[in-house]
Amino acid sequence: MFRDHTCGELTIADAGKEVTLAGWVQKSRKLGGGITFVDIRDRYGITQLAFYKDQNADLYEEGNKLGREWVIQITGMVQERSSKNKNIPTGDIEIVPSAIKVLNTSEVPPFTIEDETDGGDDIRMKYRYLDLRRNSVRSNLELRHKIAFETRSYLDKLNFLEVETPILVGSTPEGARDFVVPSRMNPGEFYALPQSPQLFKQLLMVSGFDRYFQIVKCFRDEDLRADRQPEFTQIDCEMSFVNQEDVLQTFEGLTKYLFKNIKGIEVSDFPRMTYADAMKYYGSDKPDTRFEMKLVEIKDLTTNKDFVVFDSSEYVGAICAKGCAEYTRKQLDELTNFVKRPQIGAKGLVYVKCENGGVYKSSVDKFYNQEDLAKWAERCDAKEGDLILIICGETEKAQKQLCELRLEMGERLNLKDKNVFSCLWVVDFPLLEKDEELGRFFAKHHPFTSPVPEDIEKLETAPETVRASAYDMVINGVEVGGGSLRIYNSDLQKKMFKVLGFTEEKAQAQFGFLMNAFKYGAPPHAGLAFGLDRLVSLFAGLDSIRDCIAFPKNNSGRDVMTDAPSVIEQEQLDELCLKIDIKKD
């Protein structure tokens, strides 16, 4: 037996016991006077080893030879430490070794394997197996395990069945870009990796599996960012004989359960917000409601004052930053440059300072008098000492720009507390969005989302006004999960495909198996999928999902550890009947 205890469990109650531990050398400290301390680490914690020259000179010399990350086994006596460490569970004790065995040596690691490491992102990703030894990264994966475990436990009690669905599927070009897999046995034909198990879970409902879930890998060939990876994990769920409220209650219950059992936090009932209100007041369909600072439309208060910028704009909106009237010119210029960044795209920023005595100082006071500015302040509920920030332009674009500015101000004013969790449902999304260049509609969620019943008659006459029976769960400005009621009537599904520009032949070719299944008694059904990676990162207080994934890709979609994707041999390409012709500059 390599060990009879772990490195994280011994306490003062174990003093006087002989124990055997195995693990990695974290660090050693030579104090002089014939004393050396060595920390041994495993997944469970750290225990101090104490080598005393006057007690065992040979072992003392062996202890001094141990290098960082060497794998060792020690046997020794547990004793109370003279200088205790209250920061670790084993800080009251140490082990005086009576035997030591080096199981393996180690080269000097390319970065320090400690919580506060000196390794940058690239080097840590290249040596991810070493990065995973760090407490901070390992604890994220332990948290991930707990969330997955508790999710399974909760859903099992509600009679959900975990069913695996295929990984090699047909391509569905209506969604995001697919990762495709060539078929050797079917030359010239391709599988796709699933963007979600959507079609299969609906077929399971037709099959009578009325409550399905799966913790499943999904794949999307999209541009990456902090909360996206080319492969990600969903808690995927579907239910039969339910309405929207049934689904919201079920998964709000799951989320509350996870907060209580993992974070020890009681979360109140989730408010509901329509998509229209989310855009109007927050400029986003995933609003961060940890703080106020809502968007306020002031277009009607700004017209006919000879300020062409406002007069010619479809929308003029403002936010009120409490207590920021003392912002300097430099700080205001920083905010202006922030909103003018290409990824935000505003042309400029107007400000109004609400100073003492009811005096207003503005970047546009050449056009607007004190009475005008007072009306703006009243609309924005701005008091003395507050700062009003204004952006104008096309409605949707300007709202999104104000949203980015609002989030930036929330960051600057420390309003985005990671220990506070503000949860809500966003409902009544538009069913469709129009691509003006292509002159056709696309499904905002997917083609199987059911319209709100009272809007169905508008599908052919005013499709842009039709609302979806869709819902997103949002926590702290992050879309954690989303879903919808599904179309289960073949006639309505055909109508939906027609609005999306599908011919009957195209719809049959891509989704015929689902439409045929609906002919055999499809029940009313609905579903939802949580992003497990996003949920874990929220619980862990991370800004990126990468550190809650064991082996993530970098921002270019590469695995720098295994050097994937990579070129494959011509022989493999020939077997797959593929010809690669990439022209390099």
Side-chain angles (χ1 to χ4, degrees):
M1 185 165 60
F2 277 104
R3 62 185 181 185
D4 52 29
H5 289 78
T6 70
C7 296
E9 67 176 302
L10 297 171
T11 68
I12 195 68
D14 297 300
K17 287 183 182 178
E18 184 177 73
V19 298
T20 299
L21 303 182
W24 288 262
V25 173
Q26 174 77 15
K27 66 173 69 170
S28 61
R29 304 180 299 283
K30 299 175 184 177
L31 302 187
I35 301 175
T36 296
F37 293 132
V38 174
D39 290 340
I40 181 174
R41 179 196 74 238
D42 64 10
R43 167 187 153 192
Y44 305 95
I46 292 177
T47 297
Q48 177 174 287
L49 311 179
F51 295 88
Y52 297 103
K53 187 175 184 181
D54 60 357
Q55 293 183 22
N56 191 323
D58 291 340
L59 275 176
Y60 171 77
E61 292 302 326
E62 285 189 59
N64 281 325
K65 294 176 184 177
L66 298 175
R68 275 181 178 259
E69 300 307 312
W70 284 25
V71 188
I72 63 172
Q73 179 191 47
I74 69 99
T75 298
M77 193 67 67
V78 181
Q79 70 176 25
E80 186 173 1
R81 283 173 65 162
S82 57
S83 177
K84 298 182 179 181
N85 182 351
K86 298 300 182 183
N87 296 320
I88 57 175
T90 60
D92 289 341
I93 59 95
E94 64 188 12
I95 296 176
V96 180
S98 56
I100 184 169
K101 182 177 181 180
V102 175
L103 302 175
N104 217 333
T105 60
S106 171
E107 294 183 7
V108 177
F111 57 89
T112 305
I113 301 176
E114 294 178 356
D115 286 355
E116 298 298 326
T117 183
D118 55 1
D121 284 350
D122 290 342
I123 195 75
R124 291 194 300 109
M125 291 304 104
K126 183 174 178 63
Y127 297 93
R128 182 62 166 178
Y129 46 86
L130 296 179
D131 195 37
L132 289 170
R133 293 181 186 175
R134 296 194 303 125
N135 291 332
S136 54
V137 182
R138 186 185 65 249
S139 64
N140 293 336
L141 294 186
E142 291 172 346
L143 173 63
R144 185 188 185 96
H145 160 76
K146 290 176 184 176
I147 289 176
F149 181 86
E150 294 291 353
T151 295
R152 284 188 166 97
S153 175
Y154 183 89
L155 293 176
D156 177 66
K157 288 181 175 66
L158 294 180
N159 292 323
F160 280 81
L161 289 176
E162 185 165 15
V163 182
E164 294 178 343
T165 52
I167 291 297
L168 296 175
V169 301
S171 180
T172 53
E174 281 298 299
R177 286 187 295 271
D178 286 326
F179 284 101
V180 295
V181 181
S183 171
R184 179 183 60 81
M185 293 183 289
N186 301 277
E189 297 184 323
F190 297 82
Y191 300 105
L193 301 181
Q195 297 181 28
S196 84
Q198 182 64 43
L199 300 177
F200 293 98
K201 66 180 181 179
Q202 290 193 249
L203 289 172
L204 285 170
M205 297 303 103
V206 177
S207 303
F209 290 79
D210 65 329
R211 292 195 167 199
Y212 142 95
F213 86 99
Q214 184 181 187
I215 298 180
V216 59
K217 279 280 190 181
C218 300
F219 308 85
R220 292 179 188 172
D221 189 5
E222 297 180 308
D223 295 333
L224 304 184
R225 58 191 189 202
D227 62 350
R228 276 186 185 166
Q229 284 275 298
E231 54 179 307
F232 56 96
T233 304
Q234 285 187 177
I235 303 170
D236 196 61
C237 307
E238 198 80 4
M239 305 168 71
S240 292
F241 305 113
V242 291
N243 57 32
Q244 179 168 302
E245 190 60 30
D246 295 327
V247 178
L248 300 194
Q249 288 295 334
T250 299
F251 294 105
E252 184 172 322
L254 169 61
T255 309
K256 290 179 179 179
Y257 173 85
L258 293 175
F259 271 112
K260 183 176 181 180
N261 285 270
I262 292 174
K263 296 287 288 181
I265 296 173
E266 295 279 357
V267 179
S268 59
D269 291 344
F270 296 8
R272 315 289 169 83
M273 183 183 298
T274 65
Y275 171 86
D277 281 349
M279 295 303 298
K280 179 178 180 179
Y281 296 118
Y282 296 93
S284 170
D285 59 3
K286 44 182 182 294
D288 188 340
T289 54
R290 281 174 292 180
F291 61 101
E292 284 293 320
M293 208 183 296
K294 292 181 180 179
L295 278 57
V296 179
E297 187 168 357
I298 60 170
K299 168 70 176 177
D300 59 310
L301 302 179
T302 66
T303 54
N304 301 320
K305 296 290 182 176
D306 297 326
F307 187 49
V308 177
V309 175
F310 282 175
D311 286 347
S312 61
S313 294
E314 180 182 45
Y315 173 88
V316 181
I319 58 172
C320 176
K322 297 294 182 182
C324 294
E326 294 182 358
Y327 262 37
T328 64
R329 184 70 202 182
K330 179 181 178 182
Q331 289 172 303
L332 291 168
D333 287 344
E334 286 175 354
L335 292 177
T336 301
N337 292 333
F338 172 80
V339 299
K340 291 172 74 172
R341 290 161 53 197
Q343 53 267 52
I344 297 177
K347 293 182 179 179
L349 180 67
V350 171
Y351 70 85
V352 179
K353 292 182 176 183
C354 304
E355 299 185 333
N356 294 336
V359 176
Y360 301 98
K361 184 177 180 181
S362 171
S363 52
V364 290
D365 52 18
K366 176 180 177 182
F367 301 95
Y368 300 95
N369 59 35
Q370 291 291 296
E371 184 180 347
D372 296 326
L373 300 178
K375 291 178 181 178
W376 299 4
E378 182 181 7
R379 176 77 58 86
C380 296
D381 194 29
K383 311 296 188 222
E384 287 187 10
D386 295 344
L387 175 68
I388 302 171
L389 299 169
I390 303 166
I391 287 177
C392 63
E394 295 177 28
T395 300
E396 189 171 332
K397 288 182 179 178
Q399 286 174 333
K400 290 180 178 179
Q401 291 158 0
L402 265 178
C403 169
E404 294 296 332
L405 179 59
R406 174 183 179 271
L407 294 175
E408 174 68 11
M409 292 305 298
E411 195 73 48
R412 289 177 177 232
L413 298 174
N414 296 315
L415 300 176
K416 298 165 72 173
D417 188 342
K418 290 181 179 179
N419 295 312
V420 172
F421 297 94
S422 182
C423 312
L424 72 150
W425 291 104
V426 177
V427 298
D428 288 349
F429 283 82
L431 181 70
L432 306 163
E433 52 189 354
K434 189 169 187 179
D435 186 312
E436 296 296 342
E437 290 185 13
L438 296 177
R440 56 164 289 199
F441 287 102
F442 288 85
K444 192 167 181 69
H445 285 76
H446 54 66
F448 317 106
T449 300
S450 179
V452 169
E454 55 264 36
D455 288 356
I456 290 176
E457 62 184 23
K458 302 178 188 175
L459 262 177
E460 293 180 283
T461 58
E464 68 280 356
T465 67
V466 178
R467 293 166 297 164
S469 296
Y471 34 82
D472 279 357
M473 181 187 290
V474 178
I475 305 176
N476 293 0
V478 176
E479 177 201 330
V480 173
S484 66
L485 299 188
R486 318 304 189 191
I487 297 172
Y488 64 95
N489 176 280
S490 295
D491 291 338
L492 179 58
Q493 188 65 70
K494 287 178 182 178
K495 187 179 292 187
M496 179 70 168
F497 282 141
K498 183 178 179 181
V499 172
L500 294 172
F502 282 69
T503 62
E504 285 191 25
E505 294 76 17
K506 182 181 177 183
Q508 187 65 32
Q510 285 194 29
F511 306 112
F513 60 94
L514 181 66
M515 297 169 71
N516 290 338
F518 284 174
K519 297 175 183 177
Y520 296 96
H525 58 285
L528 176 142
F530 285 98
L532 178 61
D533 312 300
R534 292 183 183 181
L535 194 60
V536 176
S537 65
L538 270 171
F539 274 46
L542 300 172
D543 294 321
S544 168
I545 64 173
R546 287 200 306 181
D547 274 340
C548 64
I549 298 172
F551 299 102
K553 307 293 188 290
N554 69 8
N555 290 338
S556 300
R558 297 195 65 83
D559 182 337
V560 294
M561 184 181 67
T562 63
D563 194 29
S566 60
V567 175
I568 64 174
E569 297 292 332
Q570 185 61 47
E571 183 179 349
Q572 288 178 276
L573 293 174
D574 292 342
E575 282 186 332
L576 297 168
C577 300
L578 292 178
K579 182 180 179 181
I580 306 296
D581 183 17
I582 299 177
K583 295 180 180 179
K584 296 184 178 180
D585 294 333

